[in-house]
Amino acid sequence: MKPGWKKVWTGLLVCCLLLGSFGGPAAPAAAADEYDTLRIKWESLLTGEPGYHTADPDIAAQISAVTGAARTHWNTMNKTAGRTALWSDLADWSQSATITASYSRLKSMAAAYGTTGSELEGDAGLAADIVSALDWMYANAYNETKSETGNWWDWEIGTPLLLGDIMVLVYDRLSEAQKANYIKAIDKFCPDPAKRTITPTITETGANRLDKALINALRGTVGKSSTKLAQGRDAMSQTFLYVSDGDGFYRDGSFVQHNDVAYTGSYGLVMLGDLAKLLYLLQGSSWSVTDANLANVYNWVEEAYRPLIYQGAMMDMVRGRAISRSESEDHTAGRSAAVSIVRLAQGAPQDKALAFRRIAKSWMQADRTFANYYAGLAIYDIVRMKALVADTALAPAAPLAKSHMFAGMDRYVHHGSGFAFGLSLFSSRISAFEYINGENSKGWYTGAGMTFLYNGDQAQYAGNYWPTVNMMRLPGTTTDGYAPALPVNSKHYLGTKSWAGGSSLSDAYGSAGMEFSMSAVTGSTLQGKKSWFVFGDRIAALGAGISASDGRRVETVIENRKLASGTAALTVNGTAKPASAPWSEAMTGVRWAHLAGPAADSGIGYYFPAASTVQGQREQRTGSWNGINSGQSSAAVTNTFASLAVDHGVNPTAGSYAYVLLPNRDAAAVSTFAASPTVQVLSNTAAVQAVRDTAAKAVGANFWNDAAAAVNVDGTPWITSDKKASVTTVEAGKELSIAVSDPTQANTGEIRIEIGRSAAGVISADPLVTVTRLSPTVQLTVKPGGTLGRSLRVKLSLPGVIGSAADAYVRDGSYAGTNYGADGSLAVKLDAAGYQRQSYLRFDLASVTAPVTSAKLRLVPAQTGMAGMTNEAHLVSDTAWGESTLTWNSRPAAGALIGSWTVPAAGTPLEIDVTGQVNAALSAGGKLSIRLSAPANSGADGYVNYASKEYGTAPSRPQLLIVP
């Protein structure tokens, strides 16, 4: 058949099969015809749909690449009658990978045979050699009489997937006997997509299950078996379901494979690709997927995949051992996701399809790492991806704004303006890393709190990052630089601690943390508690309780960044550090630092809340991919790195650190921030770690123990928790949002949370959260059982707050003529003459609209002499007294009793209902005056000093809380 005509004939055949007889209405197709339809459809996916433009430069380049690879394999293939292998470099049949690699080369040759525009399209000689090779492989390497040796994957997934594709590509050259033979081999090693053939007790899940579902669907297509097609389709349904442990997708968007490894960016990509392929093949046929849970798949694009891709790069923290493969760096993996999502869009509901295409387009347009984005893509995908770019009516998706804890796989991600931040943790549920078959041999610390910062330096984690970075000094980690020489193959490197997770709110705020011990990973005694708090573009990192007893020096690596330019400027406290490697310096009194990037949107600032000693280093490092993956090249590769670290010394017992990352700021902006920081460390102990950001009016806190503990803001308790928990609060306008989680995922009881302010009402609350009190403080009861670490959120409305316009206390006796209006206290005491004290407050209600639903006077005792005292509030009709002139002698008379109360402990707020008095004042001048006094003499210690409007801590000052 002449080049080009095969595709034309294929297109005509598809039309005939779909439309029935020429010129008439569609007639029911015979079963065999429908199998042919599916086969031709699959061939189009492999080699391109009929009608593509072979002169398009990107398509022409791909045709040339396909042809060149095929010629190379064809020319080097052993075609002699007595051959013992098809290729001399693939002759070790004790290695199961030899079988898969041989079929991979045959598929490459078959692809050229079926590609329109290739010089080898329809080449009879090529086809004959392919079929001869298939027969040889069947007779000698892969048939129903063989037993599995080596890696089960080669026998049950790798080889049968390739064989199915090859059978489609050279279908017209195969006899019925040959098809039957090859199918017998497939049926031997992949008879049931739900089961591991070599170990039938293992149920296949996730990507492995879908690989096998695809194998069975293709086997059903080429073997014309409805049963096998249905078997492949039905095996998909299990993967549509959410899981609560082990492999699969979690409701929070996590994806786990191998039971405890975060794998969205590797096995998850295989799963996404398989889903897209299977749906492409089956939808519209007699074997269409009708499972209602298919809707979950479409949700995963935005819930599970999109948050983990930044400007086209799939984050390495979810790629497991795939980071050790040179051919699959982060942007290549991200492009693979984009291709699959575009494929998935073809059969998705209309709204989802539009969203998918917009997302893919945004990644394509943002990604600057490819010399040609289309190079290496299949022709089928080149056509579709180019169509996205050319579609001027299709707007790319806006950059993502999201802060999210993937509690199911111990990963945290935050997308800010012009950057993304990733955090890789481990626990007793999730492995620190994975090492299998020589891959990822130095991954020990990749899950031990490694931080990833993505910005305009798009090649940061590409360009040979992993073989050259010091894998014992990864950014964000606390390390003693120790690891065994080689990991144990397939070992699950779980931690011994369960506290790993966090809480997040809206799109910009979150808290994350990890209690870690390296004992079950590297075998060292190193342990501690690490937290990260994200407030927009400020990322605070704290460490506490860091200890070890192995005689090794321990450090926390703040940064270890690959430099696009080896001389990128590092500025510390305004002083430029040496720009050439090697350089090392222990810098004292560091308050801020800045590392320049290759572009304006790639510089990073570092702020230290307390002046710190920081170890700086600039070094050139050389390594090889073989050094982290035994199957990779030994060729030397080199990069230059700049690092910053806090040295905890040898055998620390209570090491700590605190620093703030400031993405995308220049040195001047970092210096300005350091002079007037918005980030404040509230607590950094082994009991509680907490940070406040005044600009965001946000607080994050991680509670490490099952014991009541409080975080104070300006000397007043703000967040109190009685159990291990992560809590994030944000005030915005007249709303207070709270997120609480149980990062241990082990609490089947309750967590009691108290927030140190009043609320007016509940706007929304997770069903597992009960608001038990709104004032004088907010109290919540949280039931986290079964939530798998999910953030449980509450949103409360806040009352309007009016501070006192004037307040003062007065004293009798020799002090009767003294004014105390400037004092920070409002004293109350009933005692003998000369020792009595009363206090007055006045509020201006001009901003209040009458009538109000609720009004409460909020007071905070700063000091109390004894417990159990009673105080009172009386209405004062005179509202003209002056704060700076009021004395005992000039004090106005008190009127009706408003209320009385038992004085609480110092620092504990109290509230008095003054709704009636406020409404009355609103109709009579708009001012409210109140006297505070004691009704009984409690002796020398019967005093109370309430905070006045001059008190140093603003939240403790008198407030009138108004609910309209």
Side-chain angles (χ1 to χ4, degrees):
M1 189 175 289
K2 293 181 179 179
W5 280 102
K6 186 168 184 267
K7 287 289 184 180
V8 174
W9 177 250
T10 295
L12 291 173
L13 179 57
V14 170
C15 291
C16 293
L17 293 173
L18 292 176
L19 299 176
S21 59
F22 290 105
D33 288 345
E34 190 167 13
Y35 297 125
D36 289 337
T37 301
L38 296 184
R39 177 175 52 79
I40 293 167
K41 191 176 182 183
W42 190 255
E43 184 181 11
S44 294
L45 188 72
L46 296 174
T47 62
E49 291 178 302
Y52 59 77
H53 300 292
T54 58
D56 179 288
D58 297 308
I59 292 176
Q62 182 59 17
I63 293 171
S64 177
V66 168
T67 304
R71 282 197 182 280
T72 296
H73 297 320
W74 190 17
N75 290 338
T76 57
M77 188 172 75
N78 186 346
K79 308 174 186 67
T80 62
R83 58 190 172 185
T84 57
L86 299 179
W87 287 274
S88 60
D89 61 332
L90 294 177
D92 184 358
W93 298 105
S94 67
Q95 300 295 318
S96 58
T98 300
I99 304 172
T100 304
S102 297
Y103 277 110
S104 178
R105 292 182 183 180
L106 291 175
K107 179 184 172 181
S108 174
M109 294 161 63
Y113 171 77
T115 297
T116 296
S118 170
E119 297 168 358
L120 299 177
E121 181 195 5
D123 189 296
L126 174 62
D129 283 343
I130 292 171
V131 174
S132 174
L134 289 174
D135 284 340
W136 189 92
M137 289 294 291
Y138 173 72
N140 297 280
Y142 192 72
N143 61 55
E144 67 276 12
T145 69
K146 296 289 185 179
S147 298
E148 293 188 32
T149 58
N151 191 337
W152 70 269
W153 182 90
D154 289 303
W155 295 90
E156 299 184 27
I157 293 180
T159 287
L161 266 177
L162 291 164
L163 183 51
D165 284 345
I166 297 167
M167 290 178 71
V168 168
L169 290 167
V170 295
Y171 186 84
D172 59 340
R173 296 288 181 164
L174 298 177
S175 69
E176 293 304 315
Q178 288 169 321
K179 295 172 192 172
N181 283 339
Y182 309 156
I183 285 172
K184 281 188 291 186
I186 293 173
D187 286 347
K188 163 68 182 290
F189 297 108
C190 189
D192 182 353
K195 296 295 181 183
R196 181 76 49 85
T197 307
I198 194 171
T199 312
T201 55
I202 296 178
T203 298
E204 298 290 14
T205 58
N208 289 338
R209 189 184 186 101
L210 286 173
D211 275 344
K212 289 191 168 184
L214 182 56
I215 290 166
N216 276 259
L218 290 177
R219 178 259 183 263
T221 298
V222 295
K224 301 194 173 184
S225 169
S226 179
T227 300
K228 281 296 179 180
L229 275 159
Q231 190 179 32
R233 176 200 61 202
D234 295 343
M236 297 171 66
S237 289
Q238 184 267 352
T239 67
F240 299 161
L241 303 176
Y242 287 104
V243 301
S244 57
D245 61 72
D247 292 356
F249 282 94
Y250 292 68
R251 290 194 178 275
D252 67 1
S254 299
F255 178 77
V256 170
Q257 191 82 32
H258 291 173
N259 202 56
D260 50 37
V261 184
Y263 251 136
T264 314
S266 181
Y267 282 94
L269 286 186
V270 174
M271 189 167 177
L272 179 65
D274 283 348
L275 285 167
K277 292 173 184 176
L278 279 159
L279 292 170
Y280 162 84
L281 177 66
L282 299 177
Q283 295 302 75
S285 76
S286 297
W287 302 276
S288 290
V289 179
T290 58
D291 190 327
N293 289 314
L294 176 60
N296 294 340
V297 173
Y298 300 127
N299 292 334
W300 295 338
V301 172
E302 298 214 46
E303 294 173 357
Y305 292 98
R306 189 183 181 195
L308 296 168
I309 296 178
Y310 181 74
Q311 292 187 349
M314 172 61 75
M315 295 184 178
D316 281 340
M317 67 179 183
V318 291
R319 300 207 306 121
R321 68 184 195 278
I323 63 171
S324 68
R325 301 168 187 164
S326 62
E327 70 276 10
S328 180
E329 292 187 309
D330 55 353
H331 283 269
T332 301
R335 185 178 68 168
S336 174
V339 166
S340 292
I341 287 170
V342 172
R343 289 181 178 180
L344 194 63
Q346 289 179 250
Q350 187 174 356
D351 59 332
K352 294 290 187 181
L354 176 61
F356 295 172
R357 293 184 177 106
R358 293 185 63 210
I359 292 169
K361 186 171 186 175
S362 70
W363 292 337
M364 292 175 67
Q365 292 184 338
D367 197 331
R368 304 187 302 271
T369 62
F370 291 94
N372 182 347
Y373 192 88
Y374 310 107
L377 294 184
I379 294 170
Y380 178 92
D381 297 312
I382 292 174
V383 172
R384 273 163 176 72
M385 302 303 275
K386 295 190 83 167
L388 287 185
V389 174
D391 185 357
T392 57
L394 181 70
L400 189 62
K402 191 176 185 69
S403 197
H404 183 65
M405 184 73 220
F406 289 96
M409 59 181 180
D410 291 353
R411 297 295 188 267
Y412 178 85
V413 68
H414 173 79
H415 286 256
S417 177
F419 75 96
F421 172 75
L423 179 59
S424 180
L425 311 176
F426 76 107
S427 66
S428 56
R429 302 174 303 273
I430 296 296
S431 184
F433 75 111
E434 182 182 66
Y435 168 78
I436 295 179
N437 298 333
E439 294 190 312
N440 200 27
S441 58
K442 296 181 181 179
W444 304 95
Y445 290 90
T446 52
M450 183 179 179
T451 54
F452 296 80
L453 189 54
Y454 297 84
N455 55 19
D457 181 10
Q458 291 189 351
Q460 175 59 211
Y461 303 103
N464 303 313
Y465 174 88
W466 290 107
T468 53
V469 70
N470 187 337
M471 296 283 276
M472 302 294 109
R473 299 186 73 242
L474 296 174
T477 64
T478 297
T479 173
D480 59 3
Y482 169 75
L486 199 66
V488 177
N489 192 59
S490 298
K491 180 178 177 178
H492 297 264
Y493 282 95
L494 294 170
T496 59
K497 307 295 184 180
S498 63
W499 207 121
S503 52
S504 59
L505 278 171
S506 68
D507 296 328
Y509 311 106
S511 307
M514 173 182 67
E515 181 178 11
F516 78 101
S517 166
M518 298 301 289
S519 60
V521 183
T522 64
S524 81
T525 61
L526 178 61
Q527 61 182 351
K529 291 163 182 175
K530 300 169 72 70
S531 290
W532 295 263
F533 303 98
V534 180
F535 310 107
D537 66 349
R538 287 90 62 204
I539 304 166
L542 303 186
I546 297 168
S547 67
S549 58
D550 305 298
R552 291 186 284 268
R553 183 171 296 278
V554 175
E555 62 177 339
T556 294
V557 182
I558 299 165
E559 186 63 275
N560 196 358
R561 201 151 179 92
K562 179 169 68 72
L563 305 178
S565 165
T567 58
L570 173 65
T571 306
V572 179
N573 288 351
T575 300
K577 295 300 175 179
S580 60
W583 163 77
S584 180
E585 180 183 348
M587 303 172 289
T588 59
V590 177
R591 293 306 303 266
W592 67 272
H594 180 268
L595 180 62
D601 59 351
S602 58
I604 305 171
Y606 312 86
Y607 163 68
F608 298 87
S612 302
T613 297
V614 177
Q615 182 67 42
Q617 186 179 55
R618 190 186 297 262
E619 60 177 336
Q620 190 176 82
R621 294 182 57 82
T622 298
S624 72
W625 284 97
N626 183 262
I628 59 175
N629 186 325
S630 62
Q632 297 278 306
S633 170
S634 297
V637 290
T638 301
N639 277 310
T640 302
F641 290 82
S643 65
L644 300 171
V646 174
D647 187 350
H648 302 296
V650 177
N651 294 340
T653 57
S656 65
Y657 63 85
Y659 62 90
V660 181
L661 297 176
L662 301 168
N664 297 1
R665 301 195 189 204
D666 60 22
V670 177
S671 175
T672 299
F673 182 91
S676 184
T678 63
V679 175
Q680 302 172 354
V681 176
L682 303 178
S683 178
N684 189 19
T685 70
V688 186
Q689 290 177 309
V691 170
R692 174 195 189 191
D693 188 272
T694 55
K697 299 185 72 174
V699 175
N702 289 331
F703 297 87
W704 298 106
N705 302 318
D706 283 333
V711 172
N712 291 343
V713 171
D714 294 331
T716 301
W718 175 247
I719 305 175
T720 303
S721 176
D722 71 339
K723 294 290 189 302
K724 296 175 182 178
S726 177
V727 184
T728 305
T729 68
V730 177
E731 287 188 62
K734 293 186 177 181
E735 294 181 353
L736 170 64
S737 295
I738 307 165
V740 182
S741 77
D742 165 31
T744 72
Q745 301 189 29
N747 188 335
T748 58
E750 297 178 342
I751 304 173
R752 291 178 173 82
I753 303 292
E754 184 171 12
I755 307 297
R757 71 158 303 163
S758 296
V762 179
I763 298 172
S764 62
D766 189 283
L768 296 175
V769 179
T770 301
V771 181
T772 57
R773 188 173 80 178
L774 289 172
S775 65
T777 58
V778 172
Q779 292 183 349
L780 311 173
T781 298
V782 181
K783 296 182 177 180
T787 61
L788 304 179
R790 174 173 63 88
S791 292
L792 304 174
R793 300 183 178 93
V794 178
K795 183 176 289 187
L796 306 173
S797 61
L798 297 175
V801 178
I802 300 175
S804 55
D807 56 28
Y809 79 86
V810 296
R811 182 174 177 177
D812 71 340
S814 60
Y815 303 94
T818 302
N819 171 258
Y820 296 95
D823 198 271
S825 297
L826 295 175
V828 174
K829 185 179 184 183
L830 179 61
D831 204 344
Y835 297 95
Q836 296 186 66
R837 299 170 182 84
Q838 298 174 347
S839 290
Y840 287 80
L841 304 97
R842 186 172 68 244
F843 293 90
D844 187 343
L845 307 178
S847 62
V848 180
T849 302
V852 300
T853 301
S854 171
K856 293 181 179 180
L857 171 63
R858 186 179 192 271
L859 302 170
V860 178
Q863 294 176 307
T864 60
M866 60 184 293
M869 295 176 289
T870 299
N871 280 180
E872 295 179 338
H874 288 78
L875 186 66
V876 175
S877 58
D878 180 357
T879 60
W881 53 269
E883 181 181 71
S884 61
T885 58
L886 183 69
T887 66
W888 182 273
N889 292 333
S890 65
R891 75 190 192 282
L897 176 69
I898 297 174
S900 62
W901 60 92
T902 299
V903 178
T908 303
L910 63 98
E911 293 179 0
I912 307 126
D913 192 300
V914 291
T915 306
Q917 290 76 19
V918 166
N919 281 327
L922 286 170
S923 60
K927 297 183 186 299
L928 175 66
S929 188
I930 297 173
R931 188 192 76 179
L932 308 179
S933 61
N937 187 338
S938 299
D941 290 331
Y943 68 88
V944 181
N945 292 333
Y946 297 97
S948 76
K949 73 181 183 68
E950 287 79 22
Y951 188 69
T953 304
S956 297
R957 297 167 187 169
Q959 296 176 345
L960 205 57
L961 307 178
I962 304 294
V963 178

